Amino acid sequence: MRHLFAICAVSALMAITVQAGTIKGKVSFEGTPPPEKSITEAMKSDPNCAALHANGPEVMTEHYVVGEDGGLKWVFVRITEGLEGQKFDPPKESVLLDQEGCLYKPHVFGIQTGQDLIIRNSDATLHNVHIIPGRDSKNPEMNKGMPFKMDLPPMQFEYPEVPLRFKCDVHRWMFAYCNIVDHPFFDTTDETGSFEIKDVPPGDYTLSFWHKKMQDHPVKVTVPAEGEVEVNFTFTEDMVPSRDR
Ligand SMILES: [Cu+2]
């Protein structure tokens, strides 16, 4: 009889399965992207920067980086609707923004509210990080000189903002776009235009595609309880602002 009770107790323990799906896809650019501009000439204003590229290829802007198969790099993809009322702890890993060769690396990135951002200067020259919040932003402005190779103490952002702009007050070609969201479901496209957002709770969402030059585009998506859903998006030539054509 005691044995029978034991069997019943074991079978009553239901396996708890955490259900989550993956959103993945590719962002493409259709048409002819505007040509990039050279930064090499501007870099001559600081001989320290010019010297860091003396033997390298010409330094170009990276506005419309389209790969051989049409993939568009530097698109920030994140969920914009469907997570209302949910709270997510920030990841323990920090995000690193480096200033290397007088360029921000990476110059487009995502971060969660409350997550640590470490701003590094890998150059032996002065950079001045200037954070410029948008007009309605609650994130504070920041302006800090980094005169030599160093890290700033980890900083966090309290409010979502896409994008929060960073610029260097010393080098007019240096811009970065810090994209702050209050959940962990985001990614930035790589050189093939690919992105992947894992561990998304099943449900209906809006996914938005942000590019620094073109308008943000929302797309509806349903995430299954398990497995993947593919979402592809194409920016076209007519979405390029007239000033860039
Ligand atoms: Cu700089």
Side-chain angles (χ1 to χ4, degrees):
M1 193 65 180
R2 192 182 291 171
H3 187 62
L4 184 64
F5 274 126
I7 291 169
C8 290
V10 169
S11 61
L13 283 171
M14 300 280 286
I16 298 166
T17 323
V18 178
Q19 293 189 317
T22 297
I23 308 173
K24 62 189 293 188
K26 181 181 166 177
V27 180
S28 303
F29 186 89
E30 201 177 270
T32 308
E36 301 295 339
K37 296 182 180 79
S38 174
I39 297 173
T40 298
E41 192 58 32
M43 274 192 174
K44 289 179 182 164
S45 65
D46 184 338
N48 291 310
C49 297
L52 291 166
H53 296 277
N55 302 314
E58 190 168 12
V59 187
M60 307 296 288
T61 54
E62 292 193 20
H63 297 323
Y64 301 89
V65 181
V66 182
E68 281 171 20
D69 55 356
L72 182 63
K73 196 180 180 186
W74 300 127
V75 177
F76 182 68
V77 187
R78 85 286 190 202
I79 289 177
T80 49
E81 282 172 24
L83 294 165
E84 291 78 7
Q86 297 185 58
K87 285 209 180 308
F88 301 92
D89 290 333
K92 292 198 171 57
E93 315 84 67
S94 52
V95 173
L96 176 69
L97 174 64
D98 202 354
Q99 296 159 103
E100 191 195 350
C102 296
L103 297 166
Y104 281 116
K105 292 185 180 177
H107 79 292
V108 176
F109 62 94
I111 191 167
Q112 193 176 330
T113 44
Q115 188 175 6
D116 283 347
L117 173 68
I118 295 171
I119 303 176
R120 176 168 295 168
N121 182 4
S122 290
D123 295 330
T125 193
L126 170 69
H127 291 297
N128 191 103
V129 183
H130 191 170
I131 298 179
I132 306 161
R135 203 184 306 162
D136 302 321
S137 171
K138 287 192 250 175
N139 290 306
E141 188 177 359
M142 189 194 87
N143 202 343
K144 275 209 164 66
M146 299 178 70
F148 38 77
K149 291 187 183 186
M150 61 181 287
D151 286 358
L152 291 181
M155 64 179 297
Q156 303 83 29
F157 300 100
E158 201 176 337
Y159 303 100
E161 186 165 359
V162 176
L164 179 63
R165 287 182 168 81
F166 284 43
K167 73 187 272 273
C168 175
D169 284 342
V170 183
H171 306 118
R172 60 183 172 82
W173 61 87
M174 287 180 70
F175 286 94
Y177 302 83
C178 170
N179 297 300
I180 310 161
V181 285
D182 56 4
H183 58 72
F185 308 114
F186 59 84
D187 197 13
T188 305
T189 57
D190 63 15
E191 45 285 307
T192 67
S194 302
F195 71 92
E196 185 172 59
I197 302 170
K198 287 182 180 167
D199 301 326
V200 186
D204 296 323
Y205 299 100
T206 301
L207 196 66
S208 267
F209 295 85
W210 177 89
H211 180 272
K212 62 178 151 172
K213 294 283 192 173
M214 296 178 281
Q215 220 179 339
D216 208 352
H217 284 273
V219 172
K220 298 281 179 202
V221 57
T222 299
V223 176
E226 280 169 41
E228 295 175 354
V229 57
E230 193 177 320
V231 184
N232 299 315
F233 185 79
T234 303
F235 284 93
T236 53
E237 209 175 312
D238 58 347
M239 294 176 188
V240 172
S242 52
R243 64 177 179 276
D244 280 350
R245 289 189 208 158

